[in-house]
């Protein structure tokens, strides 16, 4: 470890109490300064889990992200904790693959996620958001997470995947309980229930969609998965299901998380909100600053394929290497006044909310940016004086970085 004799040596980064109030930004600031590549011996809640390296600086995360030959996505899973989620399912998603299979499968979707293709959906996405807000007519209060963000993003990704609108709430529940398996509100029955109930339900519901698309192909992304061929062979059923899961999960969680925290920041920084009210053309800048400060996923993980060294720290073959975006996006060597929400920030383009380059850079960047832009625009237009009203607890997770609820008063 780069810091010797420090109390940081005793810290285990993924402990429930460390994340009780969201990402531990003060801890990460110390780690970036004193021990940027930090070893955690394990996770007390999951004693069978091996220890892991925490990578906290933007430059180091950039290096790991771009070197897939040294830092594999396929060897050991994509998150720091793999308990309860079979490696076979992780490897069935292209986020859990290495090249060349990763590149071939991801390429099947890239044509549908180009900025030009996504821009063509702007009217449809705005109509979805407008309908969500119309349902709030006459109300004085709401929960911005569950009354606005969740139904909006569920319908957007549902429309891309070919999910019937009446099933949006079901898929949202499944995504929340699976990705937030450790949160007692999102998954009251615990991590074990995820594998015993949620994953089987996902497979069963997905099988019905797969059968329908085999019989009657459409132009949605589920059909792309069903009829895709890699090296002349169609995907196996579990690969189709997990590809579907990856796209629906990302679509449900990413925009919801960043929008909700971004709106909270605007309410806490009325000067910044006023800038947007006075000049809505600044909203894309607010989107980027929200992505920087509130990346939807706190981390992703790689596994070392060989003995190597990162920022002077020896890493052994087979070691877990965890990239903390909630840290790198507030790296003081890249961002001035890193904890301030500032829509006029010159350095915001350096953020790693969508990853840090390399093969696994986020497929849905254009869609996420468009959704966030529309959500901010429509929210500020309808409710320019919206105010926070109540507690805003975080989901108990060191993986998904999102508020559980955001109660607001819609008008002054």
């Amino acid at each position: 470890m780069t810091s010797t004799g420090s109390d940081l040596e005793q810290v285990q980064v993924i402990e429930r109490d460390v994340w009780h109030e969201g990402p531990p930004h003060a801890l990460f600031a110390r780690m970036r300064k004193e021990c940027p590549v930090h070893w955690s011996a394990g996770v007390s809640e999951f004693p069978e889990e091996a220890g892991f390296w925490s990578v906290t600086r933007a430059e180091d995360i950039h290096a790991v992200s771009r070197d897939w030959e040294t830092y594999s996505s396929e060897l050991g899973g994509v998150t720091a904790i793999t308990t309860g989620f079979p490696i076979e399912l992780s490897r069935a998603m292209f986020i859990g693959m290495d090249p060349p299979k990763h590149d071939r499968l991801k390429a099947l979707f890239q044509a549908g996620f180009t900025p030009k293709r996504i821009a063509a959906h702007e009217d449809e996405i705005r109509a979805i958001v407008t309908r969500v807000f119309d349902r709030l007519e006459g109300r004085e209060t709401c929960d911005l997470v569950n009354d606005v963000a969740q139904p909006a993003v569920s319908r957007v990704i549902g429309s891309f995947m070919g999910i019937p609108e009446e099933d949006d709430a079901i898929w949202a529940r499944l995504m929340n309980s699976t990705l937030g398996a450790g949160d007692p509100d999102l998954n009251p029955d615990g991590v074990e229930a995820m594998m015993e109930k949620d994953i089987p339900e996902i497979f069963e519901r997905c099988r019905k969609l797969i059968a329908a698309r085999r019989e009657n192909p459409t132009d949605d992304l589920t059909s792309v998965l069903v009829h895709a061929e890699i090296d002349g062979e169609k995907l196996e059923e579990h690969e189709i299901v997990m590809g579907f899961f990856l796209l629906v999960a990302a679509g449900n969680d990413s925009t919801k998380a960043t929008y909700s925290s971004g709106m909270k920041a605007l309410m806490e920084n009325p000067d910044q909100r006023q800038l947007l009210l006075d000049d809505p053309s600044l909203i894309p800048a607010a989107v980027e600053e929200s992505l920087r400060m509130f990346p939807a996923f706190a981390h992703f993980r790689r596994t070392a394929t060989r003995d190597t060294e990162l920022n002077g720290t020896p890493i052994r073959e087979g070691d877990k290497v965890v990239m903390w975006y909630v840290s790198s996006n507030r790296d003081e060597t890249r961002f001035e006044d890193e904890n301030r929400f500032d829509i006029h920030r010159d350095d915001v383009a350096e953020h790693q909310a969508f990853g840090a380059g390399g093969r696994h850079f986020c497929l849905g960047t254009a869609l996420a940016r468009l959704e966030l832009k529309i959500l901010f625009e429509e929210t500020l237009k309808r409710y320019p004086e919206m105010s926070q009203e109540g507690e805003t607890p975080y989901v108990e997770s060191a993986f998904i970085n999102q508020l559980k609820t955001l109660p607001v008063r819609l008008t002054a």
Side-chain angles (χ1 to χ4, degrees):
M1 199 156 75
T2 55
S3 175
T4 305
S6 166
D7 63 319
L8 283 178
E9 293 183 15
Q10 309 306 317
V11 170
Q12 295 189 171
V13 177
I14 301 182
E15 293 296 309
R16 193 176 287 268
D17 60 344
V18 173
W19 292 79
H20 183 66
E21 297 180 352
H25 293 299
L27 172 61
F28 281 130
R30 280 196 63 200
M31 291 167 66
R32 288 193 300 271
K33 182 179 180 180
E34 301 175 31
C35 186
V37 182
H38 171 278
W39 177 254
S40 288
V43 184
S44 60
E45 192 171 342
F46 301 100
E48 67 277 22
E49 288 282 345
F52 58 91
W53 295 102
S54 285
V55 187
T56 56
R57 287 183 184 169
E59 183 177 356
D60 293 333
I61 290 179
H62 181 85
V64 171
S65 297
R66 290 177 174 268
D67 187 359
W68 63 267
E69 292 176 308
T70 303
Y71 302 101
S72 169
S73 297
E74 190 170 309
L75 280 183
V78 297
T79 58
I81 297 174
T82 56
T83 299
F85 200 83
I87 186 64
E88 294 79 15
L89 296 186
S90 177
R91 289 173 178 161
M93 302 181 284
F94 60 77
I95 198 172
M97 298 175 184
D98 290 329
K101 188 173 183 179
H102 164 273
D103 297 353
R104 293 167 185 161
L105 185 54
K106 189 175 182 180
L108 294 171
F109 298 97
Q110 282 180 318
F113 281 93
T114 63
K116 184 177 180 180
R117 287 281 185 91
I118 293 301
H121 290 272
E122 179 165 358
D123 290 345
E124 179 185 356
I125 294 172
R126 195 174 299 275
I128 288 170
V129 173
T130 298
R131 289 199 301 273
V132 169
F133 277 121
D134 285 346
R135 295 201 288 267
L136 300 179
E137 198 66 38
R139 291 179 56 174
E140 294 183 356
T141 62
C142 79
D143 173 7
L144 214 58
V145 174
N146 295 296
D147 293 332
V148 175
Q150 184 69 77
V153 301
S154 293
R155 180 75 313 251
V156 171
I157 193 60
S159 67
F160 275 76
M161 300 303 299
I163 295 172
E165 187 167 3
E166 59 269 22
D167 290 345
D168 284 353
I170 295 170
W171 282 107
R173 171 183 61 79
L174 288 169
M175 295 304 108
N176 290 335
S177 63
T178 303
L179 295 187
D183 186 282
D185 293 320
L186 297 184
N187 193 340
D189 297 325
V191 175
E192 296 79 9
M194 174 186 69
M195 287 306 300
E196 293 172 1
K197 296 194 305 184
D198 297 333
I199 296 298
E201 184 175 351
I202 288 169
F203 267 78
E204 181 58 32
R205 290 183 177 278
C206 207
R207 283 189 184 106
K208 294 178 181 178
L209 287 170
I210 291 169
R213 295 308 183 276
R214 282 182 174 144
E215 186 73 23
N216 296 297
T218 66
D219 59 356
D220 59 44
L221 294 181
T222 302
S223 280
V224 173
L225 278 165
V226 169
H227 297 283
E229 291 188 1
I230 304 294
D231 296 333
E233 295 185 3
K234 291 189 179 298
L235 300 179
E236 296 181 26
E237 185 172 85
H238 76 286
E239 293 176 316
I240 298 173
V241 172
M242 295 314 296
F244 178 96
F245 172 83
L246 174 62
L247 293 170
V248 175
N252 262 281
D253 279 86
S254 56
T255 307
K256 175 181 69 174
T258 300
Y259 162 73
S260 300
S261 291
M263 282 304 306
K264 184 174 187 288
L266 288 174
M267 287 184 279
E268 292 173 342
N269 295 274
D271 61 319
Q272 299 293 298
R273 177 168 63 177
Q274 193 60 49
L275 290 171
L276 302 182
L277 293 172
D278 293 342
D279 183 2
S281 72
L282 294 173
I283 286 177
V287 167
E288 295 307 312
E289 180 67 340
S290 297
L291 287 164
R292 181 189 74 84
M293 289 200 74
F294 315 112
F297 299 100
H299 78 267
F300 276 108
R301 169 253 181 121
R302 302 288 188 264
T303 303
T305 62
R306 54 181 175 239
D307 290 352
T308 186
E309 186 175 288
L310 182 64
N311 198 348
T313 301
I315 294 174
R316 294 182 178 179
E317 179 182 350
D319 282 356
K320 298 179 185 180
V321 179
V322 177
M323 302 174 291
W324 290 105
Y325 307 118
V326 288
S327 174
S328 64
N329 275 358
R330 300 191 187 207
D331 186 340
E332 48 284 303
T333 66
R334 288 204 175 188
F335 305 106
E336 185 178 352
D337 199 3
E338 69 278 3
N339 291 315
R340 171 173 164 72
F341 186 88
D342 181 4
I343 66 170
H344 285 311
R345 181 178 294 280
D346 293 331
D347 49 19
V348 71
E350 296 289 317
H351 75 69
Q352 297 179 344
F354 296 121
R359 298 299 222 282
H360 287 279
F361 192 73
C362 178
L363 180 72
T365 55
L367 177 59
R369 284 183 165 120
L370 180 59
E371 282 187 84
L372 287 167
K373 173 178 172 288
I374 291 170
L375 279 162
F376 281 136
E377 286 174 348
E378 295 300 323
T379 306
L380 293 170
K381 182 169 65 177
R382 291 209 186 199
Y383 305 110
E385 298 179 320
M386 177 187 290
S387 58
Q388 184 179 320
E389 191 172 81
E391 297 298 313
T392 58
Y394 275 84
V395 173
E396 292 187 30
S397 173
F399 177 55
I400 54 174
N401 176 32
Q402 58 182 263
L403 300 174
K404 206 181 308 189
T405 60
L406 178 53
V408 298
R409 180 162 293 278
L410 296 169
T411 56

